[in-house]
Amino acid sequence: MGIEIEHKFLVKHIPSDITQKCALRQGYILNQPDRVIRVRTVASNFSDASGKGFLTLKGKNKGALRPEYEYEIPFTEAREMLDLFCPPPVIEKTRIWTEFEGFEWVIDQFFGKNQGLIVAEIELESEDQNFPVPPWAGHEVTGDPRYYNSSLIKEPYTTW
C-alpha cells in the first residue's frame, strides 16, 4: 500500500534558492472526507499544451499519514478529465521545489479563489522522522482540513 507521510506549513516568504518550478492544475472526480480521486496536470506554465498528467487516489488522513496511490496518465487525457469529470473550480497553483538542510520541500503558491495562500510540505520516510523547519516556514497546519486541496475546492482561502 502506498502511504504518504507529510507535514504542511504556512509560508512567510518564498525562499530564493529554488531548484525547480512548474504549474499545476487539479480537480476532483470524487471528493469525500475519507477518500478523493484527483486529476492533475503538470506543465511549465498554465498555457502549455504539453506536460504530464496524473490520477491520484487518497484515503482518510490519520495525523500525518494517508494512503495514496498515484499513476501517470497522458497529459491530453488528464486535461479532458479535468474538463469532463471534475466540477469547477479547478485549483491552479505554482509548485516550487527547494532544499533545506538536506530535506526537499515543495511550496505551493495558489491562484484564483485561493490567491494569497502559500503552503510548504515535506514528505518523510517515517512518522517519527525528525526534520529541521526552515526560517521561511510559519505555523504548522498538518491535519487542519481547511488546508487540504480537496477542501480548498469547496471553501476557497479567500472566503475564510
Side-chain angles (χ1 to χ4, degrees), residues 10 24 30 37 63-64 86 110 145:
L10 296 177
L24 302 178
L30 177 69
I37 300 174
C86 299
F110 291 81

Side-chain angles (χ1 to χ4, degrees), residues 6-23:
E6 72 178 14
H7 286 267
K8 188 179 286 197
F9 294 81
L10 296 177
V11 173
K12 299 176 195 175
H13 61 86
I14 296 174
S16 58
D17 56 339
I18 295 169
T19 59
Q20 188 179 351
K21 190 175 184 178
C22 69

